[in-house]
Amino acid sequence: MSTFPRPLLLLGCGQVGRALLGLLPKWTEHLQLWGVADTSGLLLTQEPALVRAHKLAGRPLSSLGAGPMALPPTAGLVIDAAVGDNTTLWLEALSYGHAVVTANKVPLSRPAAPWDLWRPAWERRTLGLASTVGAGVPSASCLLRLREEGDTVRSIQAVVSGTLHFVLERVAAGQRFSDAVFDAKDQGYSEPDPTLDLSGADVGRKLTILGHLASLWQRAPMLDVEPLAPPNWRGLSATDLHDALRTLDGSFARRVLAARDAGERLRYVGRASGTGVRCALEPVPAESPLGRLGPSDNGVILHTQRFHATPLGLTGPGFGPETTARALLADARAACNRFSS
């Protein structure tokens, strides 16, 4: 039987990575920090508080002596809280007996993603994906359970952008759309450039991942993603973006009011089926599972062969750095338990 704790390599020191470093002292029974990597290199360290403080100050790990990327010398965990295509590193880590736990969606959702390798690793629980979709909503583990029980998923309906849900809930409460977007940014719920969230691309990636896990397709699906702001607004200064977003305030207020008058709620909904992925702003019945979501919730509705007349609904906390970090650590503990079995 393998022993605890397992060496941990953390990729990424953004909001989620820093939240995870803050939680690590409570997980020493399972994990021992071995190294942390940012875009400047890999720092070999067992001091999460030191790294967290250094990154909170906005400094690169290279200023602490970070060097080239490497993997722990003994089988352990790679937690990917970065943003970027780390496919090669994942494949290397898995081939050397490490487990990979990720909140990074890029290696899973790019057109050439090697799902012939990812899916078996997920089924063996050496690839933890829970944090890629819905953070605190256990959609990936539920899909694995349905798969093991022989059920067949027919389609998926989901609200899985915490940022967009936060914004729409604020607009429903009477706030202007433009101000709600910047409130989300100020509270750390959106990307530094909010147009990345408003593009809907992140929802498309999440539904792509869920569709692969549900075996809705074997190749990259067709994507139809409706943006909430024009793509050419990306990169605008904060002042110019706020001014541009103000031109949408009236439209969003009218759509929210029309939905409310019809007994509905406005949601940014992602749908996955055998024909592909569709993501768009749409009204849903106020008393439906997605209509009843709280301001900080995400929701995933699974239509399966078994759960057809009454689809299976999963709802729960869906965004925030600490929520995502806790989901990563839960996946990490499951991987550690597999090492010891």
Side-chain angles (χ1 to χ4, degrees):
M1 178 175 291
S2 300
T3 58
F4 290 125
R6 286 284 165 179
L8 165 64
L9 167 61
L10 173 63
L11 308 178
C13 295
Q15 293 187 70
V16 173
R18 295 194 300 269
L20 190 143
L21 288 169
L23 295 170
L24 266 184
K26 299 179 181 179
W27 289 74
T28 54
E29 178 184 352
H30 299 279
L31 300 168
Q32 173 64 62
L33 186 64
W34 176 82
V36 182
D38 65 5
T39 56
S40 73
L42 166 66
L43 177 69
L44 300 181
T45 179
Q46 296 184 351
E47 300 181 56
L50 170 68
V51 177
R52 185 171 182 271
H54 191 76
K55 296 303 296 183
L56 281 170
R59 296 193 292 268
L61 294 180
S62 58
S63 62
L64 290 177
M69 181 59 66
L71 291 169
T74 58
L77 276 291
V78 176
I79 294 185
D80 191 346
V83 178
D85 190 358
N86 289 327
T87 297
T88 300
L89 184 60
W90 287 18
L91 292 173
E92 183 180 359
L94 291 169
S95 70
Y96 281 100
H98 301 288
V100 175
V101 173
T102 184
N104 182 0
K105 294 175 282 293
V106 176
L108 302 166
S109 58
R110 65 190 183 94
W115 274 96
D116 57 327
L117 300 175
W118 297 155
R119 187 177 290 106
W122 170 62
E123 292 172 347
R124 294 193 304 269
R125 294 171 173 82
T126 56
L127 178 59
L129 309 175
S131 300
T132 59
V133 182
V137 179
S139 50
S141 59
C142 183
L143 285 169
L144 181 56
R145 178 67 178 268
L146 292 173
R147 185 182 181 90
E148 291 172 341
E149 293 176 352
D151 202 353
T152 300
V153 177
R154 296 175 175 174
S155 64
I156 301 170
Q157 180 185 11
V159 170
V160 286
S161 170
T163 304
L164 298 184
H165 186 56
F166 173 89
V167 168
L168 293 172
E169 286 289 279
R170 285 297 183 91
V171 175
Q175 189 174 25
R176 289 182 297 188
F177 174 72
S178 56
D179 292 339
V181 170
F182 272 78
D183 273 359
K185 178 178 181 292
D186 292 342
Q187 295 186 42
Y189 297 151
S190 78
E191 297 293 337
D193 183 348
T195 61
L196 296 175
D197 297 282
L198 296 174
S199 73
D202 188 59
V203 178
R205 285 189 287 268
K206 291 174 179 177
L207 269 294
T208 297
I209 293 168
L210 288 178
H212 276 296
L213 296 181
S215 298
L216 289 176
W217 45 68
Q218 297 302 316
R219 298 180 180 179
M222 295 292 293
L223 293 177
D224 181 7
V225 179
E226 173 189 296
L228 299 190
N232 61 1
W233 289 1
R234 185 171 302 173
L236 291 177
S237 69
T239 300
D240 288 345
L241 178 59
H242 207 161
D243 289 343
L245 289 171
R246 286 193 180 102
T247 66
L248 303 178
D249 287 346
S251 172
F252 275 91
R254 288 190 294 272
R255 293 184 71 171
V256 165
L257 183 59
R260 181 181 298 156
D261 289 345
E264 297 172 322
R265 298 289 182 268
L266 202 59
R267 300 286 188 253
Y268 193 83
V269 180
R271 299 177 181 274
S273 65
T275 59
V277 170
R278 164 72 174 158
C279 304
L281 193 64
E282 62 180 72
V284 302
E287 294 305 313
S288 67
L290 297 184
R292 293 195 302 267
L293 291 176
S296 62
D297 289 343
N298 275 191
V300 177
I301 310 299
L302 304 176
H303 301 259
T304 78
Q305 183 175 354
R306 177 181 170 193
F307 296 97
H308 179 59
T310 304
L312 181 60
L314 305 168
T315 63
F319 67 100
E322 185 166 322
T323 298
T324 303
R326 289 185 183 279
L328 282 168
L329 288 168
D331 261 354
R333 180 167 58 185
C336 288
N337 291 338
R338 180 191 172 279
F339 279 125
S340 63
S341 63

